[in-house]
Amino acid sequence: MKDVDARVLAAFRVEYPEHLDALRSTLTELARAGAPDLQAALRHAHNLKGAARAVDMYAVEGLAHRLETVFARAGRGELRIEAAAARVLEVALDAIDAAVAGEPGSEAAQLALDQLLGTVEAAPPAERPAPRLSTIQEAVDSMRVSVSAMDRLLASTAMLAQEGQRQEGLSRDLAELRSAVDRLQSAHAARDRETVDPLLKAMAHRLREVQRRQLDGSWSLSHSGSRLSADARRLMLVPARTVFEGFPRLMRELARDLGKTYEFSLEGGDVEADRRVLQGIKDGVLHLLRNAAYHGIERPEARRAAGKPERGRIALDVQARGATLVVRVEDDGAGVDVARAAAVGEKRGLVGSASPTLADVVPLLFQPGFSTAREVSEVAGRGIGLSVVQMAADRLQGDVLVDSRPGRGTVFTLSVPLAVSLQTVFLVTSQDQTFAVSIGGIDRLYRVPLAQVDTVLGQATLSTPAGPLPIWSLGHLLFGEGQPVASGGYLEVLVVKAGRRRLAVAVDALVGRHQGVTRALGPVLPAGMRCQSGMVLGDGSVALLVTPADLLEAAREAGPAAPLAAVPEPAPVPEPQASRRVLVVDDSFTTRTLEKGILESHGYEVRVAVDGLEALAVLRTTDVDLVIVDVQMPRLDGFGLLASLKADPRLARLPVIMVTSLESPEDQARGLELGADAYIVKRTFEQRALLETVQQLL
């Protein structure tokens, strides 16, 4: 427990100055006769109060509670923060700093705040002395690494990986040059063959060797960069318990304050995630736990009357699912009071359904200032908690879902990326610019024939399983201009999501998945631009990162969406000659089917074989222009097939692409030594990469 206390205090020491800085900025804005965000100040005071409670700093908790009340009343217009009031608040913030350092004197600041409020706030219990932060210096089994150092390391590794991608571009140029030499050799076949042919053959051979060495170097470079980047990202990962470990004690104290009995459990504390992600959701998770204790768990007598165990249950469960961190807060309490929420919503003009359902009221629960509590207390009633959860999810391009059953309990599920720097995104283009949307923020992708696009009041509408959605142009949302454009008889649309909200966004083109390191862009963007970060692509261009929450907010603020527009049919893109024949060799039926479908949809004629021996049999009777081969196969594997091809004078010049799950430098080097023309790793397999490689070699 001693080590836990030290780590929690250390986390508080990092966190509390951020809240004080934000509150001081609010006072500075007020002094300038500005219009500060009082709702944000209210949240910072509220979060500071909860953090202080977690480390038993009751003086800080009491001051923060009073500050929260001040900003709540100011936000409702019940109190004006003029010069005299601002000085009281400044004294209170200084008193918080002093209280954290263990110095006395907070009582005077509390009294001044009470006088400002015109009431005497009940001070939190102070029978236990607040621990001094000197205990933080006790030994902790960890090593601190600055976030800025990690960011620099990630940026360096990203540049290394980017250089590897540039090398791959160079390999494509060499392939085209080799192809040009081959064509020149054919064109001069009828001339002085004794002189020209040996020279051209030597050039072609030399180019092939240079290309092979260059491919070897680029793959090794990319592989090293990927490993270095992965190592750097792992340094940023910490167990969830390092951020959430103060919650069990807080929940025990909350049970005593509320007069309730429940059992609290924390599962998945060893799950590792980016510290910045965990810190980003910490306040939201804390609010979910408080919500479960206050609104969910019934008092013992009510549980007995309902035939339930007198002791309730609240569980915090942390899981890593792929690249997503999933945090569940579950209780076995009364469930969401739909009728009460609907009544409060009706008073505020937010809902008017005669028979409200959970789906009707869930969006209300996340509205700032919305609360079903019948009285305001230190735990609930201010309508802050769930809005903090929604904002945390939106900020991290995540999602939060609610499932509740009357009398049986409620489950909140918060899903966010495991890391904030490296992200898997989907690339789209609009108005000659590439944009990136987090994969977790995309509901569905559509390529809609114009005949299936409905028009309602002049606006294009997309039919989805959840109902019709108006289609907005990405350019209109980001730049205030542009309209959904249909090209080639189709409209490219992605449906983005933030919580339960959905938005259909038309783009010029759907490009595909991409994984990269995000970077803050700062002042290089035009004023008012909603994109704050981006990632560098392989060709050196920058894809701007857009969040679903920002797009939904832009749609809310914008006027009516522009109507659908059509553009002239684009010039047809030359398809590869139908006579080009490709042999796909793989023992996996699924992989064979996938590759065959991709190639045939782009005009290639495809033959298949299940292993190397069957491939050799096909090649004895059928002419092919290129072979795509898996490495691990029964009877004769890919390496054996490649060696057999290169040993046969008739097949030695046949281009070979190896597609495999083996990605070690040794495996790649072996394939290159045997004469492979390209090497695609299944882990990073993309349709576009396969097609580009095939086109380069043919």
Side-chain angles (χ1 to χ4, degrees), residues 335-350:
V336 173
D337 189 340
V338 174
R340 171 67 179 164
V344 174
E346 189 172 3
K347 284 184 179 179
R348 298 180 55 177
L350 299 176

Side-chain angles (χ1 to χ4, degrees), residues 553-599:
E553 182 65 17
R556 187 185 66 82
E557 295 177 355
L564 178 67
V567 298
E569 289 288 337
V573 178
E575 290 286 344
Q577 298 178 11
S579 59
R580 294 293 193 181
R581 184 177 295 153
V582 178
L583 174 62
V584 173
V585 189
D586 200 301
D587 61 327
S588 167
F589 174 76
T590 301
T591 302
R592 290 198 309 271
T593 302
L594 171 64
E595 294 176 1
K596 185 174 185 291
I598 291 172
L599 293 167

Side-chain angles (χ1 to χ4, degrees), residues 240-577:
R241 57 178 166 74
T242 61
V243 176
F244 297 160
E245 60 191 351
F247 290 172
R249 182 177 58 184
L250 178 64
M251 295 302 290
R252 289 193 297 270
E253 294 177 354
L254 189 57
R256 290 194 294 268
D257 292 345
L258 295 174
K260 297 183 178 182
T261 58
Y262 53 76
E263 179 180 302
F264 174 72
S265 63
L266 169 59
E267 299 292 337
D270 291 330
V271 171
E272 292 189 333
D274 190 323
R275 179 183 292 276
R276 289 167 294 184
V277 172
L278 293 171
Q279 289 289 358
I281 65 173
K282 177 185 174 183
D283 288 338
V285 174
L286 178 57
H287 285 302
L288 289 177
L289 293 174
R290 290 186 171 195
N291 185 79
Y294 185 89
H295 293 285
I297 299 298
E298 311 94 331
R299 294 189 181 278
E301 58 273 16
R303 292 181 65 88
R304 286 195 301 269
K308 300 169 71 171
E310 184 174 303
R311 190 175 184 84
R313 181 178 60 85
I314 300 176
L316 171 60
D317 180 63
V318 184
Q319 298 180 27
R321 299 178 185 172
T324 301
L325 179 70
V326 179
V327 180
R328 285 167 47 94
V329 174
E330 181 177 3
D331 68 73
D332 67 345
V336 173
D337 189 340
V338 174
R340 171 67 179 164
V344 174
E346 189 172 3
K347 284 184 179 179
R348 298 180 55 177
L350 299 176
V351 64
S353 174
S355 301
T357 64
L358 178 66
D360 294 324
V361 302
V362 161
L364 305 180
L365 303 179
F366 295 97
Q367 291 283 333
F370 186 91
S371 176
T372 59
R374 299 182 185 276
E375 60 182 19
V376 177
S377 70
E378 293 182 16
V379 179
R382 301 184 188 275
I384 299 172
L386 294 185
S387 67
V388 171
V389 180
Q390 186 66 65
M391 284 184 288
D394 291 345
R395 187 167 55 248
L396 292 169
Q397 299 193 59
D399 202 359
V400 57
L401 300 176
V402 185
D403 183 27
S404 182
R405 288 176 290 178
R408 301 187 62 181
T410 303
V411 180
F412 285 87
T413 303
L414 177 63
S415 302
V416 294
L418 272 174
V420 294
S421 293
L422 184 74
Q423 290 198 35
T424 301
V425 298
F426 195 88
L427 300 179
V428 300
T429 61
S430 179
Q431 298 190 6
D432 299 322
Q433 171 67 50
T434 302
F435 296 91
V437 183
S438 173
I439 288 293
I442 296 178
D443 186 54
R444 292 196 179 192
L445 302 173
Y446 292 89
R447 190 166 187 259
V448 189
L450 285 181
Q452 297 180 15
V453 178
D454 298 325
T455 301
V456 179
L457 299 177
Q459 182 171 0
T461 303
L462 175 69
S463 296
T464 73
L469 290 175
I471 302 175
W472 295 79
S473 162
L474 181 60
H476 183 79
L477 295 175
L478 295 178
F479 309 114
E481 58 184 18
Q483 55 193 155
V485 175
S487 179
Y490 288 88
L491 195 64
E492 310 280 3
V493 179
L494 68 158
V495 175
V496 298
K497 61 181 181 179
R500 293 178 177 270
R501 298 173 295 169
R502 299 291 187 271
L503 183 69
V505 182
V507 297
D508 294 346
L510 301 171
V511 179
R513 292 169 63 100
H514 179 78
Q515 190 176 64
V517 176
T518 59
R519 303 180 187 178
L521 300 178
V524 300
L525 293 175
M529 186 70 172
R530 293 183 180 271
C531 306
Q532 299 301 318
S533 59
M535 57 179 59
V536 179
L537 304 180
D539 60 0
S541 64
V542 176
L544 301 178
L545 189 65
V546 295
T547 69
D550 282 343
L551 293 177
L552 282 155
E553 182 65 17
R556 187 185 66 82
E557 295 177 355
L564 178 67
V567 298
E569 289 288 337
V573 178
E575 290 286 344
Q577 298 178 11

